[in-house]
Amino acid sequence: NKILRLLLGDQLNSNHSWFAKVDDSVTYVMMEVRTETDYALHHIQKIVGFFAAMRAFAEMLQSIGHQVIYLKINDSNNLHSFEANLEKMLKISDYTKFEYQLPDEYRVDVMLRNFTSGLSIPVSVYDSEHFFTTRTELGVFFQGKKTFLMESYYSALRKKHQILMEGDHPITGQWNYDSENRKKLPKNHKPTTPLVFNTDVSALMDELLENDLKTIGTIDAKQFIWPINRAQSLQLLDFFVAECLPFFGSYQDAMAPNEWSLYHSRLSFSLNTKMISPSEVISSAIAEWEKNPERIAYHQLEGFVRQIIGWREYMRGIYWLKMPEYASFNYFDHHEKLPDWFWTGKTKMNCLKDTIGQSLNFAYAHHIQRLMVTGNFALLAGVHPDEVDAWYLGIYIDALDWVEITNTRGMSQFADGGIVGTKPYVSSASYIDKMSHYCGGCYYQKAKKVGEKACPFNSLYWNFYDKHEDKLANNPRIGMMYNVWRKMKPEDKTALLEQADYYLKHINTL
Ligand code: FAD
Ligand code: DLZ
Ligand code: SF4
């Protein structure tokens, strides 16, 4: 008996039952391959983060006695795709069985199903033992329903897993604390300094430099900021619950210049690679709240639990229910290109300069920056969802198709016509100003709609509604905006549309 087990770069779950005992008949294989580095124009920190974490995981497995074959990016025998490497390994060795864990990505799932269907040895597929829900659970839950409300899935999962529950009721009697969770950062409030790791990854960086990899963004390879193993991931979790959780809910939608992390956990990379599990993240947050209820108000905790039990599991369920069609949805039939400055951050719009700038520097932006700054602008500018997806998939350290596409194409671009969101997340300057300290330092004037230095968000916002009236006017959550638009003086409307047209024609100079 000789088993070959594949481990993908986002399957670094040391608590998986595969690793419960050392078995000499099992060989694990991990590989750094160009098909994975090149499926998007990646941030250098994403590639380094994945490779460093994969290497650390392989070393950890070897140190406790497991047999691991690890193909590095520069190994001369590396054929640079999962299938090609596997095919060769299975040909030259006498493995009697091939095993893999369910991948999170549709593309890899199809590839592995096709690949294994041609094998002459038995194949077994295992769960990745990470998520609260299975791939199909959401589909079953919403069967026969017209809408897919995150809120109802979230409460069902809270009940099923008895998280912050007393029987069938939420412990405080209330599910939702959104009204307490949308505060601007007070002036002169200095958020906690983010914990970063300063790991020296320069040897790995040198290997990457020998390749012709095309990447974006900056890196300090002597002081790599992201967690690359379970111990660092747990350290980040401890830091989060101690320092950030007390403020998480209140300021989860807030934005401020040069504050790249605020009270966010930055656990998405550790979670998506499975170095830590959603269940231990939730348990740790709840335990801290139980220890310090006077320091951590309940709504701060619930706001965080909702992201993980709610949004994360929900997005995964939608992905598996709606793929592969989801990847081609384009509800508004948008076809524009992303402005050039999405790749450089060189724009006079302060909110976009800051958000794109920090994305290039840290491979990270928090949720509201992704949704209401870059996503909002791309939607107002009519950019093709393929372009928007490719940008998000490349630039963020936590970006994996299953959670990137549902958030980008779905929640942020409304390209799914309203599966994950009930209305498009677009705004004029007033929302950005309400939630951030960006507008004060901007070249553009937030209150100005037309003319010199008018904030582009203002005219683009009305232009979007005007252009898509047929698709949006009947939406009960937006009808009100059309009343305002229809009552506007015709000359004001024309001026707004002309302003928007001018900005769209000169988009690269904004
Ligand atoms: P926190 O604010 O600390 O939240 C805690 C955790 O909750 C996160 O680590 C994440 O696991 C989960 N979470 C929060 N919001 C969501 C959400 N909407 N969907 C799924 N999980 C959520 N998240 C990714 O993990 N990968 C992506 O590629 C990704 N792309 C996005 C693209 C767009 C356009 C938008 C609007 C959101 C995207 N998100 C993505 C969701 C969210 O922005 C990130 O999970 C979050 O910013 C990660 O930072 P954090 O760990 O500090 O999160
Ligand atoms: C993101 C990523 C990158 C950049 N490189 C690799 C790699 O070389 N080898 C690998 O196994 N995984 C990598 N990953 C993560 C994969 O994209 C991810 O495992 C699959 O998409 C399945 O979700
Ligand atoms: Fe962004 Fe407009 Fe505010 Fe400038 S004025 S920061 S462009 S919203």
Side-chain angles (χ1 to χ4, degrees):
N1 213 20
K2 209 174 153 196
I3 303 171
L4 183 65
R5 283 181 173 168
L6 172 67
L7 281 173
L8 298 171
D10 60 354
Q11 295 178 334
L12 312 181
N13 176 3
S14 56
N15 290 323
H16 195 279
S17 52
W18 271 5
F19 311 119
K21 65 174 180 20
V22 172
D23 183 343
D24 288 343
S25 68
V26 174
T27 302
Y28 293 95
V29 59
M30 301 178 73
M31 40 183 121
E32 299 169 357
V33 286
R34 291 299 296 263
T35 45
E36 298 308 297
T37 57
D38 296 1
Y39 65 68
L41 180 53
H42 275 126
H43 198 296
I44 182 65
Q45 291 185 36
K46 181 177 173 192
I47 295 179
V48 166
F50 270 89
F51 285 11
M54 286 168 64
R55 289 180 183 197
F57 192 75
E59 277 166 28
M60 181 280 295
L61 289 182
Q62 280 161 338
S63 73
I64 55 173
H66 294 285
Q67 302 182 76
V68 183
I69 296 175
Y70 191 97
L71 286 171
K72 288 188 174 177
I73 189 91
N74 293 344
D75 285 350
S76 56
N77 59 342
N78 188 341
L79 299 177
H80 285 293
S81 80
F82 293 134
E83 317 85 295
N85 282 326
L86 288 172
E87 194 178 343
K88 190 169 102 186
M89 289 176 73
L90 291 171
K91 201 180 262 167
I92 59 179
S93 290
D94 52 351
Y95 291 106
T96 54
K97 196 166 183 209
F98 176 66
E99 300 186 335
Y100 66 96
Q101 296 176 18
L102 284 173
D104 287 340
E105 202 175 319
Y106 186 84
R107 167 185 68 94
V108 180
D109 196 55
V110 171
M111 181 280 291
L112 283 170
R113 274 188 281 134
N114 288 340
F115 173 74
T116 51
S117 69
L119 291 182
S120 54
I121 52 171
V123 175
S124 287
V125 187
Y126 290 73
D127 194 84
S128 61
E129 300 175 10
H130 172 81
F131 293 98
F132 279 93
T133 51
T134 66
R135 281 182 179 176
T136 50
E137 203 164 326
L138 177 138
V140 172
F141 180 80
F142 286 108
Q143 205 155 32
K145 303 247 165 51
K146 281 210 189 83
T147 53
F148 300 87
L149 265 188
M150 192 288 283
E151 194 68 29
S152 50
Y153 197 51
Y154 166 63
S155 29
L157 291 181
R158 286 260 307 268
K159 273 187 216 161
K160 179 174 172 190
H161 296 278
Q162 285 295 300
I163 294 162
L164 299 172
M165 298 293 293
E166 254 165 32
D168 271 357
H169 303 284
I171 44 169
T172 57
Q174 199 178 318
W175 291 107
N176 194 312
Y177 290 81
D178 268 3
S179 57
E180 291 170 60
N181 281 352
R182 298 205 164 134
K183 296 199 168 73
K184 187 171 179 161
L185 222 55
K187 257 216 150 74
N188 305 321
H189 173 109
K190 187 71 199 138
T192 314
T193 306
L195 170 72
V196 295
F197 287 97
N198 302 327
T199 308
D200 188 345
V201 292
S202 38
L204 166 57
M205 192 60 205
D206 290 343
E207 287 176 51
L208 290 175
L209 289 174
E210 284 172 35
N211 265 272
D212 58 346
L213 283 180
K214 253 189 102 196
T215 59
I216 52 168
T218 60
I219 186 168
D220 181 350
K222 291 238 177 288
Q223 300 183 307
F224 188 64
I225 59 174
W226 292 99
I228 57 159
N229 55 39
R230 181 166 164 81
Q232 289 183 340
S233 300
L234 290 172
Q235 216 182 317
L236 190 58
L237 172 59
D238 287 348
F239 170 80
F240 169 74
V241 298
E243 305 294 332
C244 305
L245 186 58
F247 305 96
F248 179 84
S250 301
Y251 300 129
Q252 73 185 61
D253 285 4
M255 298 178 281
N258 305 315
E259 292 293 348
W260 65 284
S261 171
L262 293 164
Y263 294 105
H264 292 274
S265 69
R266 287 174 293 116
L267 286 168
S268 48
F269 176 64
S270 296
L271 277 165
N272 294 352
T273 50
K274 305 183 182 63
M275 294 190 287
I276 52 173
S277 74
S279 146
E280 66 194 327
V281 169
I282 297 293
S283 300
S284 170
I286 294 175
E288 189 71 16
W289 167 73
E290 283 170 343
K291 254 195 318 192
N292 289 305
E294 61 300 322
R295 187 159 177 251
I296 304 169
Y298 180 78
H299 69 92
Q300 314 284 6
L301 174 73
E302 192 280 324
F304 182 69
V305 168
R306 166 185 299 269
Q307 303 309 315
I308 301 207
I309 308 288
W311 283 110
R312 190 165 185 264
E313 298 289 330
Y314 171 81
M315 289 307 206
R316 167 175 149 89
I318 295 283
Y319 182 79
W320 285 105
L321 183 67
K322 297 289 177 186
M323 280 299 278
E325 313 85 68
Y326 208 89
S328 57
F329 287 153
N330 186 358
Y331 184 66
F332 293 121
D333 198 22
H334 279 164
H335 286 277
E336 295 303 325
K337 271 175 57 90
L338 273 179
D340 295 344
W341 41 259
F342 259 71
W343 305 99
T344 62
K346 289 189 180 143
T347 164
K348 299 190 282 300
M349 289 184 277
N350 206 26
C351 52
L352 280 150
K353 181 166 66 188
D354 192 74
T355 300
I356 297 170
Q358 77 161 67
S359 303
L360 290 166
N361 287 335
F362 301 112
Y364 177 85
H366 60 78
H367 186 71
I368 288 298
Q369 292 177 308
R370 298 186 201 196
L371 186 67
M372 296 311 294
V373 179
T374 39
N376 185 4
F377 189 88
L379 180 53
L380 294 180
V383 179
H384 196 299
D386 285 354
E387 286 251 325
V388 192
D389 265 333
W391 186 81
Y392 280 97
L393 195 54
I395 200 161
Y396 293 121
I397 185 126
D398 55 30
L400 289 163
D401 194 57
W402 65 273
V403 56
E404 177 282 319
I405 200 170
T406 40
N407 272 291
T408 303
R409 199 171 275 260
M411 173 133 55
S412 134
Q413 300 300 296
F414 203 74
D416 63 3
I419 296 172
V420 302
T422 45
K423 67 172 183 130
Y425 282 97
V426 288
S427 83
S428 62
S430 70
Y431 174 83
I432 295 175
D433 188 44
K434 193 174 104 197
M435 293 315 302
S436 81
H437 296 289
Y438 285 139
C439 297
C442 187
Y443 165 88
Y444 293 102
Q445 292 175 13
K446 64 181 182 196
K448 223 172 153 186
K449 295 189 175 66
V450 294
E452 214 195 331
K453 297 196 179 174
C455 168
F457 278 96
N458 295 334
S459 51
L460 292 178
Y461 175 73
W462 286 114
N463 176 66
F464 172 83
Y465 277 126
D466 181 61
K467 213 161 109 200
H468 297 301
E469 188 164 359
D470 57 330
K471 294 199 165 92
L472 297 176
N474 291 330
N475 183 320
R477 292 194 64 197
I478 332 183
M480 194 178 74
M481 294 312 301
Y482 283 100
N483 291 339
V484 178
W485 180 236
R486 282 177 204 129
K487 279 188 199 141
M488 229 182 260
K489 285 194 216 135
E491 60 270 29
D492 290 347
K493 281 171 137 180
T494 308
L496 275 168
L497 296 179
E498 280 174 359
Q499 182 71 56
D501 188 55
Y502 176 84
Y503 279 151
L504 289 174
K505 286 196 174 115
H506 297 85
I507 204 153
N508 284 323
T509 65
L510 288 181

